[in-house]
Amino acid sequence: MKSAKNVMVCVTQQKTCERLIRRGAELRDAYEGQLFVVHVTQEGWNFLGKSKEGDALEYLFEKSKAHGANLTVLRSNDVLTTLKEQVEKNNIDIIVMGEAGGDYEENSIISSLGKRLHENVIFEVVPAKLKKKVV
């Protein structure tokens, strides 16, 4: 019998993050855990001041809700520490993040966050675009 695993999906205010939430829901269902969707923004940034950003967050809220997760929006000047706190608070086993531009680099947010967490936390990186299969 597999043990339940909690999943945290890290999103930005882009509507393209729906694919991350969908993948998080798949993992949650496979491991019978809970799903947490988290967005961290810098303190002082007016992320709801622009209608496009507000629309994007509303969209992410609706997609999170549709997949049985709450969207948590946090303000922090230390994004990595805030994400680490969410991992610890919610007993996260798997973190879903989108693929950043370029290759996996030593100074990427995934690498930096991974160094702060216990070794049992798994990162699932979702590609920006699905690559077509060559038949």
Side-chain angles (χ1 to χ4, degrees):
M1 181 175 157
K2 60 186 166 197
S3 62
K5 295 189 185 309
N6 290 337
V7 179
M8 180 173 83
V9 179
C10 300
V11 297
T12 62
Q13 56 203 19
Q14 298 174 354
K15 288 185 177 182
T16 57
C17 288
E18 178 186 357
R19 75 188 195 288
L20 305 178
I21 297 169
R22 194 174 328 114
R23 180 61 183 145
E26 291 169 357
L27 291 167
R28 182 246 354 250
D29 293 346
Y31 290 105
E32 301 171 356
Q34 295 181 21
L35 178 61
F36 302 88
V37 179
V38 177
H39 171 66
V40 181
T41 188
Q42 292 271 324
E43 288 182 13
W45 282 22
N46 188 7
F47 63 91
L48 291 177
K50 296 180 183 175
S51 62
K52 286 183 181 179
E53 292 173 350
D55 290 347
L57 282 174
E58 180 65 25
Y59 181 81
L60 289 172
F61 169 77
E62 291 299 326
K63 292 302 173 186
S64 297
K65 185 176 166 185
H67 289 287
N70 289 323
L71 173 63
T72 301
V73 179
L74 302 164
R75 289 183 179 267
S76 174
N77 284 328
D78 188 346
V79 173
L80 291 175
T81 297
T82 302
L83 290 174
K84 179 180 186 281
E85 290 168 354
Q86 290 299 300
V87 167
E88 293 167 352
K89 174 183 172 188
N90 297 309
N91 299 311
I92 299 299
D93 301 291
I94 303 170
I95 298 172
V96 177
M97 298 181 109
E99 179 180 54
D103 295 326
Y104 180 83
E105 297 175 13
E106 190 62 30
N107 62 352
S108 73
I109 190 167
I110 296 168
S111 176
S112 298
L113 182 58
K115 290 174 185 174
R116 295 176 178 222
L117 301 174
H118 60 81
E119 60 189 39
N120 296 333
V121 176
I122 299 166
F123 282 88
E124 169 101 7
V125 179
V126 179
K129 292 184 180 180
L130 296 176
K131 295 175 176 67
K132 293 182 180 181
K133 292 182 180 179
V134 178
V135 185

